[in-house]
Amino acid sequence: MSVNIISETKREVLERPPPENAISHIWHKGTAPSEKATMPASDTVIAYVNKHAEAKMRNHALAYRNQKLEVMGLLLGEVRTWQGQEYVLVRDVVTTDLDATSVSVKFDNKGFEKLFAGLDDAGFDYVVVGWYHSHPGYGCFLSETDIKTHGGIFVSPHQVAIVIDPLNFQIEAFLLRKNEGQINQFKVYWDTWDDPYGGLRKIKK
Ligand SMILES: [Zn+2]
């Protein structure tokens, strides 16, 4: 794939504490059926994914569950640091036309251009902090093809790869810079102002 991420905006890394409200994903098992993922999951949380972004990504994978088609998209957000530890905040996910089978997926060439044109037109400041794709029925790991095909695009050391298996209900996160097979911790976060149930609990009669 000969596509460059021309629109990536370079921004300074903010020193900020991680989100207060964050939980492990219910599908996060910390294990994978791959030989490449035999190392124990690291305790370091490498990414915090907004709950709406998480739902979009999961529903995307689930929508193509029955056809067993892979899906793929980009993670948008920012890189932050806190007490010497770098982490990624995923605020949204986006996708475009895909060229997919049960064991492979790539952006349709025109789709990729369309996606970035759309993002530029949206006029907001964004950073591509990684990508997600699905493995319908065969577990969460990074295959050699994943690393080879997509590794050239996501070259920044902080960029995260999220893999979803919508048939086995698994989701895992990987860093691309090293230990590609190693599963890392990631959490789903929400903002206090974005929690209607929390708001209701505060009502007193
Ligand atoms: Zn893959």
Side-chain angles (χ1 to χ4, degrees):
M1 189 163 25
S2 57
V3 193
N4 299 316
I5 296 179
I6 45 170
S7 306
E8 183 175 352
T9 311
K10 298 282 173 219
R11 282 198 298 201
E12 64 171 311
V13 175
L14 291 171
E15 174 97 25
R16 291 276 192 286
E20 269 179 42
N21 306 309
I23 52 167
S24 286
H25 197 289
I26 195 165
W27 289 5
H28 173 70
K29 303 279 192 295
T31 56
S34 161
E35 285 176 19
K36 284 178 157 289
T38 50
M39 297 172 77
S42 97
D43 288 337
T44 308
V45 180
I46 57 166
Y48 291 84
V49 182
N50 175 275
K51 68 173 183 177
H52 301 298
E54 184 280 322
K56 278 168 77 174
M57 188 162 65
R58 177 166 37 86
N59 288 333
H60 191 200
L62 282 170
Y64 293 91
R65 180 179 192 264
N66 292 342
Q67 292 134 285
K68 291 196 176 177
L69 286 178
E70 287 199 10
V71 302
M72 177 181 167
L74 299 176
L75 312 176
L76 303 183
E78 58 197 89
V79 183
R80 290 178 168 188
T81 179
W82 184 245
Q83 296 175 340
Q85 189 64 54
E86 221 172 55
Y87 66 93
V88 151
L89 199 72
V90 179
R91 292 188 174 281
D92 202 358
V93 300
V94 290
T95 191
T96 186
D97 299 338
L98 298 169
D99 188 358
T101 70
S102 65
V103 292
S104 73
V105 64
K106 61 179 186 180
F107 285 127
D108 181 282
N109 278 345
K110 286 212 171 68
F112 209 72
E113 283 168 30
K114 208 164 76 182
L115 176 64
F116 278 96
L119 285 169
D120 285 344
D121 288 347
F124 59 84
D125 196 15
Y126 66 91
V127 174
V128 176
V129 291
W131 57 295
Y132 72 88
H133 76 289
S134 65
H135 285 177
Y138 58 99
C140 298
F141 60 95
L142 288 186
S143 70
E144 276 177 34
T145 312
D146 289 337
I147 294 161
K148 241 183 264 172
T149 311
H150 307 293
I153 297 177
F154 305 98
V155 290
S156 301
H158 55 262
Q159 282 175 326
V160 172
I162 290 179
V163 182
I164 306 160
D165 181 343
L167 274 92
N168 293 309
F169 308 110
Q170 286 184 7
I171 187 167
E172 305 295 352
F174 303 85
L175 281 179
L176 293 176
R177 63 173 178 264
K178 57 176 182 181
N179 301 329
E180 282 89 352
Q182 184 170 1
I183 285 168
N184 289 274
Q185 298 290 329
F186 79 99
K187 293 197 166 181
V188 178
Y189 80 91
W190 63 95
D191 296 300
T192 312
W193 46 261
D194 194 20
D195 177 13
Y197 307 108
L200 284 173
R201 281 197 298 269
K202 280 170 199 150
I203 293 172
K204 283 175 187 163
K205 284 182 179 175

PDB file of all heavy atoms in Angstrom, residues 70 133 135 138 141 143 146, ligand 1:
ATOM      1  N   GLU A  70     -13.124  -9.060   7.557  1.00  0.00           N
ATOM      2  CA  GLU A  70     -12.312  -8.187   8.406  1.00  0.00           C
ATOM      3  C   GLU A  70     -12.723  -6.734   8.189  1.00  0.00           C
ATOM      4  O   GLU A  70     -13.073  -6.341   7.076  1.00  0.00           O
ATOM      5  CB  GLU A  70     -10.823  -8.345   8.063  1.00  0.00           C
ATOM      6  CG  GLU A  70     -10.224  -9.646   8.545  1.00  0.00           C
ATOM      7  CD  GLU A  70      -8.705  -9.602   8.621  1.00  0.00           C
ATOM      8  OE1 GLU A  70      -8.108  -8.513   8.475  1.00  0.00           O
ATOM      9  OE2 GLU A  70      -8.107 -10.670   8.829  1.00  0.00           O
ATOM     10  N   HIS A 133      -8.284  -3.307  13.590  1.00  0.00           N
ATOM     11  CA  HIS A 133      -8.845  -4.204  12.591  1.00  0.00           C
ATOM     12  C   HIS A 133      -9.341  -5.454  13.281  1.00  0.00           C
ATOM     13  O   HIS A 133      -9.069  -5.668  14.463  1.00  0.00           O
ATOM     14  CB  HIS A 133      -7.848  -4.480  11.459  1.00  0.00           C
ATOM     15  CG  HIS A 133      -6.743  -5.426  11.781  1.00  0.00           C
ATOM     16  ND1 HIS A 133      -5.710  -5.103  12.634  1.00  0.00           N
ATOM     17  CD2 HIS A 133      -6.502  -6.697  11.361  1.00  0.00           C
ATOM     18  CE1 HIS A 133      -4.885  -6.133  12.711  1.00  0.00           C
ATOM     19  NE2 HIS A 133      -5.338  -7.127  11.953  1.00  0.00           N
ATOM     20  N   HIS A 135     -10.195  -9.745  13.432  1.00  0.00           N
ATOM     21  CA  HIS A 135      -9.843 -11.115  13.052  1.00  0.00           C
ATOM     22  C   HIS A 135     -11.088 -11.955  13.341  1.00  0.00           C
ATOM     23  O   HIS A 135     -11.225 -12.473  14.441  1.00  0.00           O
ATOM     24  CB  HIS A 135      -8.679 -11.635  13.910  1.00  0.00           C
ATOM     25  CG  HIS A 135      -7.343 -11.088  13.549  1.00  0.00           C
ATOM     26  ND1 HIS A 135      -6.203 -11.416  14.264  1.00  0.00           N
ATOM     27  CD2 HIS A 135      -6.948 -10.260  12.552  1.00  0.00           C
ATOM     28  CE1 HIS A 135      -5.159 -10.793  13.712  1.00  0.00           C
ATOM     29  NE2 HIS A 135      -5.589 -10.078  12.679  1.00  0.00           N
ATOM     30  N   TYR A 138     -10.461 -15.845  14.610  1.00  0.00           N
ATOM     31  CA  TYR A 138      -9.147 -16.470  14.799  1.00  0.00           C
ATOM     32  C   TYR A 138      -8.227 -15.789  15.816  1.00  0.00           C
ATOM     33  O   TYR A 138      -7.014 -15.944  15.783  1.00  0.00           O
ATOM     34  CB  TYR A 138      -8.449 -16.736  13.465  1.00  0.00           C
ATOM     35  CG  TYR A 138      -8.214 -15.551  12.555  1.00  0.00           C
ATOM     36  CD1 TYR A 138      -6.970 -14.936  12.514  1.00  0.00           C
ATOM     37  CD2 TYR A 138      -9.218 -15.084  11.719  1.00  0.00           C
ATOM     38  CE1 TYR A 138      -6.736 -13.870  11.662  1.00  0.00           C
ATOM     39  CE2 TYR A 138      -8.992 -14.021  10.872  1.00  0.00           C
ATOM     40  CZ  TYR A 138      -7.747 -13.423  10.848  1.00  0.00           C
ATOM     41  OH  TYR A 138      -7.517 -12.368  10.017  1.00  0.00           O
ATOM     42  N   PHE A 141      -4.053 -11.139  17.718  1.00  0.00           N
ATOM     43  CA  PHE A 141      -2.585 -11.099  17.657  1.00  0.00           C
ATOM     44  C   PHE A 141      -2.235 -10.262  16.435  1.00  0.00           C
ATOM     45  O   PHE A 141      -3.119  -9.896  15.656  1.00  0.00           O
ATOM     46  CB  PHE A 141      -2.011 -12.520  17.535  1.00  0.00           C
ATOM     47  CG  PHE A 141      -2.487 -13.253  16.311  1.00  0.00           C
ATOM     48  CD1 PHE A 141      -1.725 -13.245  15.149  1.00  0.00           C
ATOM     49  CD2 PHE A 141      -3.711 -13.921  16.296  1.00  0.00           C
ATOM     50  CE1 PHE A 141      -2.173 -13.899  14.002  1.00  0.00           C
ATOM     51  CE2 PHE A 141      -4.169 -14.572  15.156  1.00  0.00           C
ATOM     52  CZ  PHE A 141      -3.401 -14.562  14.004  1.00  0.00           C
ATOM     53  N   SER A 143      -0.393 -10.533  13.013  1.00  0.00           N
ATOM     54  CA  SER A 143       0.220 -11.487  12.094  1.00  0.00           C
ATOM     55  C   SER A 143       1.421 -10.827  11.420  1.00  0.00           C
ATOM     56  O   SER A 143       1.576  -9.603  11.464  1.00  0.00           O
ATOM     57  CB  SER A 143      -0.793 -11.925  11.046  1.00  0.00           C
ATOM     58  OG  SER A 143      -1.063 -10.850  10.168  1.00  0.00           O
ATOM     59  N   ASP A 146       0.133  -8.377   9.066  1.00  0.00           N
ATOM     60  CA  ASP A 146      -0.268  -7.127   9.718  1.00  0.00           C
ATOM     61  C   ASP A 146       0.936  -6.213   9.893  1.00  0.00           C
ATOM     62  O   ASP A 146       0.883  -5.024   9.591  1.00  0.00           O
ATOM     63  CB  ASP A 146      -0.845  -7.405  11.123  1.00  0.00           C
ATOM     64  CG  ASP A 146      -2.204  -8.075  11.064  1.00  0.00           C
ATOM     65  OD1 ASP A 146      -2.880  -7.946  10.035  1.00  0.00           O
ATOM     66  OD2 ASP A 146      -2.571  -8.714  12.067  1.00  0.00           O
TER      67      ASP A 146
HETATM   68 ZN    ZN B   1      -4.552  -8.978  11.420  1.00  0.00          ZN
END
